[in-house]
Amino acid sequence: MENEAAAKPVVIGDETDDDLRGKLLAVLEDLGAVQKSSERGVGGSQEIETTVFEVKGKKLVVEAETYEGLSLTGDKALVEDIQARIKEKT
Amino acid sequence: MAFLRKRLSKPLFDALEKAYLAGKASAHLCPVATPVGGGISRDEWATRFCEALMVAAQVVPNRTAIAESNSALLGDFSFGLYGRMCPHGVGLEADAFSQFFSGEWGDPVKFTHVEAPPDGLLRKTGVLFFCADRGRGLKAHIDLWNGEKCLGVPFRPATELFFWELHRGAGGSSFLMNAGGGNPQEEEFKKVVANFVPKEEPPPKEEQDDKPALRLAYEAEVAKLKDLIPAMRKQGFDDEAIARKLHADRRALGEKYKAQTEPKLLETIYKRNLEKYGDKLGPTVEWLRAKGKTWEQIMDSATRSGGKDLKFGK
C-alpha cells in the first residue's frame, strides 16, 4: 500500500488544459478507475477542483488549482504509469 | 456632489439564454407587469426578456426573487430614462430596452427593411430588437438570437432591426470586439475597467438551482479578463501592471461569486489558502513571482477558469 503521507502532488500540466483533462480521464477509464468523490469550489483567486479515484485498489487524487496546475497525488508507480499513458495519447 | 451612473454589463449569452428558456412565460406576478383583467396593454415578451436579463446579469439570484425585491431593480440603472417599469423595476416595453441597451452597451448593429435574417447575424448570438411600421401585433419586439433563430417568436419582418452581440462562454471571441455599431474599443474598455469591481448589490444567494448559472457567470467574467490584456497593452501598460490588475480582478471575482461554493468547502479553501499562501484569498503576486512565475504565466492563469469537469460522465 502506498504511503499517502509521503505522496506529493505531481503537476502534469496546466489546470485549464481541456485536452490534458480529456486524456487523463481517458487513461483513468482505461485503467478501470472508479470515481469516489468530486468537489469544486472558489475561494478568492483559487478555483480548486478535487476528484478522488480508486485505481487498481489505490487512491489517486486529481486536483486542478488556479496558478498551480493539474496535479496527481498517489502511489508513485501509479502516477508515473498514468503520465506515460497520457504521453502515449499525444 | 458626484452622481455615479450604475451600468449594466453585458451578460454572457449562455446565461441569458438559459434564464430565458427556463420559463416559457413571465413568472413575474405583479399588478402592473401582469395586470389581472386587462388594464394596460403590456408586452409579455419584454417582461419575460427582462426577467431573464436580470437573472443573467446577476441583478437578482433567480426569477422568483424579482417579485420579492424591495427595490426597483432596473430603476437602479438608467432604465427609467427610457420607459415604464413595474414597481419592482421590471421593464415593460421592448422599445425602452432598445434605448437602454444603446445607452449601456453602445450603438447596435443596424439593419433596415429586413424580411429574413440578414447574413450578418448568422452564427452570432445576442439581443435583437424589431421595429415594424406595418403588420399585426406589437410593432416593437425584443428577442434573443442564437445564431440561427429567435428564441421567443419566429423571426419577423422589420423596418428597423437592431442587434447587440453577446458572446457565449468558453472560447467566445473578444468581448472588446463585441460593441457593434462602431463603438470604439477604448470606450468599451473603459466600461470594462470601470465596472470591474464587485457590484454594490448583495452577492447571489446560495441556491442549488442557481449554481450552474452562477458558475457560468463566474467563468464568463474570468474569461472577459483576457480582453483587458490587449486593451491595456494598447494603452501602454507593461506586463507587470497588467498581471497585477488581472490578479487583483481574479481575486475580486472569487469573492463576488463565492456563493457558488458550499460554505463548508469555502471555509476549507480559505484555511488551505492561508496555510499554503499566507493569505486567505490565495497567493499574492509576490508569492507567485518568488515561485518563479512569469508575468505572462500570471496573466494566463488569472484569465482562465474551470475547463471540463474532472469526473466521469461529463
Side-chain angles (χ1 to χ4, degrees):
Chain A
M1 190 177 174
E2 77 272 19
N3 181 356
E4 283 178 25
K8 284 189 174 180
V10 176
V11 177
I12 61 169
D14 191 279
E15 73 271 18
T16 57
D17 185 340
D18 275 344
D19 184 48
L20 177 61
R21 285 175 180 234
K23 283 174 185 164
L24 171 61
L25 288 176
V27 166
L28 291 176
E29 227 159 6
D30 292 346
L31 291 171
V34 177
Q35 184 187 305
K36 293 296 185 183
S37 66
S38 184
E39 61 182 9
R40 176 194 169 276
V42 175
S45 62
Q46 298 314 94
E47 185 177 348
I48 302 172
E49 186 181 359
T50 308
T51 305
V52 178
F53 295 93
E54 188 178 294
V55 192
K56 297 177 177 176
K58 292 170 179 170
K59 181 181 170 186
L60 177 78
V61 180
V62 180
E63 194 161 85
E65 181 176 1
T66 312
Y67 299 117
E68 293 283 50
L70 183 63
S71 66
L72 306 178
T73 308
D75 178 74
K76 189 170 178 269
L78 174 64
V79 171
E80 286 173 355
D81 182 30
I82 291 170
Q83 285 182 285
R85 286 169 183 261
I86 289 172
K87 208 169 181 182
E88 280 172 19
K89 287 189 180 285
T90 304
Chain B
M1 183 178 176
F3 291 94
L4 295 177
R5 178 179 172 182
K6 190 175 176 183
R7 285 192 176 274
L8 185 78
S9 299
K10 280 185 178 180
L12 186 73
F13 183 78
D14 308 58
L16 188 54
E17 179 184 42
K18 180 182 163 73
Y20 189 72
L21 295 177
K24 297 294 181 190
S26 169
H28 185 47
L29 297 174
C30 166
V32 178
T34 315
V36 177
I40 62 168
S41 170
R42 72 187 175 89
D43 177 358
E44 188 173 327
W45 293 109
T47 310
R48 181 180 160 197
F49 174 85
C50 184
E51 290 174 343
L53 176 69
M54 286 193 279
V55 173
Q58 302 289 315
V59 177
V60 290
N62 55 45
R63 296 173 93 197
T64 53
I66 296 170
E68 296 164 4
S69 172
N70 292 322
S71 65
L73 299 167
L74 278 185
D76 285 348
F77 300 88
S78 59
F79 194 88
L81 296 173
Y82 307 110
R84 293 183 300 134
M85 290 174 284
C86 82
H88 300 101
V90 172
L92 302 176
E93 297 151 334
D95 52 359
F97 279 102
S98 167
Q99 295 173 57
F100 176 61
F101 290 150
S102 292
E104 296 297 298
W105 300 344
D107 290 339
V109 177
K110 295 178 182 176
F111 303 92
T112 55
H113 303 289
V114 296
E115 295 292 326
D119 289 346
L121 293 184
L122 295 179
R123 291 180 295 281
K124 290 187 175 177
T125 51
V127 174
L128 273 182
F129 170 71
F130 295 82
C131 182
D133 56 11
R134 61 186 168 84
R136 288 184 170 186
L138 292 164
K139 298 291 185 286
H141 174 66
I142 193 101
D143 213 316
L144 292 186
W145 174 257
N146 73 355
E148 294 177 355
K149 62 181 182 180
C150 291
L151 299 181
V153 301
F155 191 93
R156 54 174 66 184
T159 313
E160 286 188 303
L161 182 69
F162 296 166
F163 178 65
W164 291 268
E165 188 171 9
L166 303 178
H167 289 298
R168 289 193 181 275
S173 54
S174 171
F175 170 75
L176 292 172
M177 296 301 192
N178 195 21
N183 234 15
Q185 287 187 7
E186 270 186 22
E187 192 178 317
E188 194 73 9
F189 169 65
K190 283 176 192 164
K191 209 187 287 182
V192 173
V193 173
N195 282 317
F196 249 95
V197 289
K199 290 182 179 175
E200 290 174 8
E201 63 258 34
K205 290 175 188 172
E206 175 80 20
E207 191 167 328
Q208 195 67 33
D209 289 347
D210 284 332
K211 278 184 182 173
L214 268 185
R215 183 172 170 184
L216 268 178
Y218 170 75
E219 291 184 358
E221 289 215 45
V222 171
K224 276 185 201 169
L225 293 178
K226 205 173 193 87
D227 297 325
L228 286 174
I229 299 172
M232 288 184 78
R233 281 200 174 125
K234 195 178 168 189
Q235 294 205 348
F237 291 99
D238 62 15
D239 281 357
E240 178 178 351
I242 298 169
R244 286 184 183 278
K245 163 74 177 155
L246 295 175
H247 175 272
D249 284 353
R250 179 69 182 260
R251 281 183 161 223
L253 283 177
E255 284 303 278
K256 178 181 173 184
Y257 286 99
K258 63 185 176 187
Q260 68 181 298
T261 304
E262 296 286 345
K264 199 175 166 188
L265 179 58
L266 182 64
E267 281 311 309
T268 303
I269 294 174
Y270 282 155
K271 191 167 175 247
R272 170 181 160 146
N273 285 343
L274 201 55
E275 287 167 359
K276 191 172 176 183
Y277 306 114
D279 190 312
K280 174 185 164 182
L281 300 183
T284 60
V285 170
E286 283 63 37
W287 190 96
L288 292 168
R289 291 289 286 172
K291 287 284 175 186
K293 298 276 184 186
T294 65
W295 296 122
E296 280 284 348
Q297 285 172 324
I298 294 171
M299 283 186 242
D300 196 45
S301 278
T303 56
R304 290 197 289 167
S305 167
K308 289 177 188 169
D309 284 351
L310 284 168
K311 46 189 176 183
F312 292 144
K314 289 282 171 181

